[in-house]
Amino acid sequence: MKKRKIISLLLLLVGVVLSVAFILRIEFPQGFEAYFKREYYNQFGPLAISVELLIAGYYFFIEHKKTNFALAIFGFTALLDPFFNQIGLFDSIVPLYGTVTLSICGLSCLWIAFANPFELKRLSRLVAVLSLAFGIFIELFFNYF
């Protein structure tokens, strides 16, 4: 129980720090029409990933029944960003420090979600595939559509 709370607090701390860093990188344009361009909304992709980390960390802290699902969604989203960037699907705007930090947290969260060392509600195969699909959708929404 103590390990779970320490890990969840670390995830929350990383999520808050990255959220603040990503919010400070957002440029708000002058004029009304600039808000309807794709470049404006692409800036919110890194922030969405860090907010997913905050939600997953909070669920992990309170032992919510959907904790493993939230951890899996975050893990897949965090790891798909550099993967899609490497295969050339899109150019990621997540800075290098964010990519490294989110990848480490994403791998850790995927391990927690699938290995279930804290004996939370196990992920079914359907929910695991669904979390992968959500991760793909989130990444493509902020970077490709």
Side-chain angles (χ1 to χ4, degrees):
M1 181 172 194
K2 191 173 185 180
K3 285 182 185 179
R4 182 187 52 80
K5 290 205 177 203
I6 290 171
I7 293 170
S8 64
L9 288 174
L10 284 173
L11 291 175
L12 285 168
L13 179 67
V14 169
V16 167
V17 169
L18 288 178
S19 293
V20 169
F22 295 151
I23 285 174
L24 294 175
R25 291 178 51 102
I26 294 174
E27 296 177 12
F28 295 98
Q30 297 289 330
F32 187 67
E33 63 201 30
Y35 286 98
F36 295 103
K37 294 186 179 178
R38 189 176 133 199
E39 295 82 24
Y40 174 69
Y41 293 104
N42 287 353
Q43 306 180 88
F44 291 95
L47 180 61
I49 298 171
S50 62
V51 168
E52 285 179 29
L53 177 58
L54 286 171
I55 293 168
Y58 176 71
Y59 276 8
F60 194 39
F61 186 77
I62 65 169
E63 289 185 275
H64 193 274
K65 64 181 180 177
K66 302 283 184 187
T67 297
N68 285 337
F69 182 60
L71 289 169
I73 290 175
F74 163 72
F76 283 127
T77 306
L79 292 175
L80 285 171
D81 187 72
F83 176 75
F84 286 158
N85 186 31
Q86 285 298 313
I87 65 171
L89 190 59
F90 57 80
D91 291 328
S92 176
I93 63 168
V94 179
L96 183 60
Y97 66 88
T99 300
V100 171
T101 306
L102 290 172
S103 295
I104 292 168
C105 290
L107 284 171
S108 302
C109 288
L110 282 177
W111 180 79
I112 292 169
F114 286 104
N116 199 19
F118 298 100
E119 299 176 1
L120 301 167
K121 184 179 177 191
R122 283 191 96 49
L123 286 178
S124 67
R125 287 190 173 110
L126 175 65
V127 173
V129 170
L130 192 61
S131 64
L132 175 62
F134 279 148
I136 291 170
F137 175 75
I138 291 166
E139 275 304 308
L140 292 179
F141 179 78
F142 282 106
N143 293 298
Y144 196 69
F145 294 136

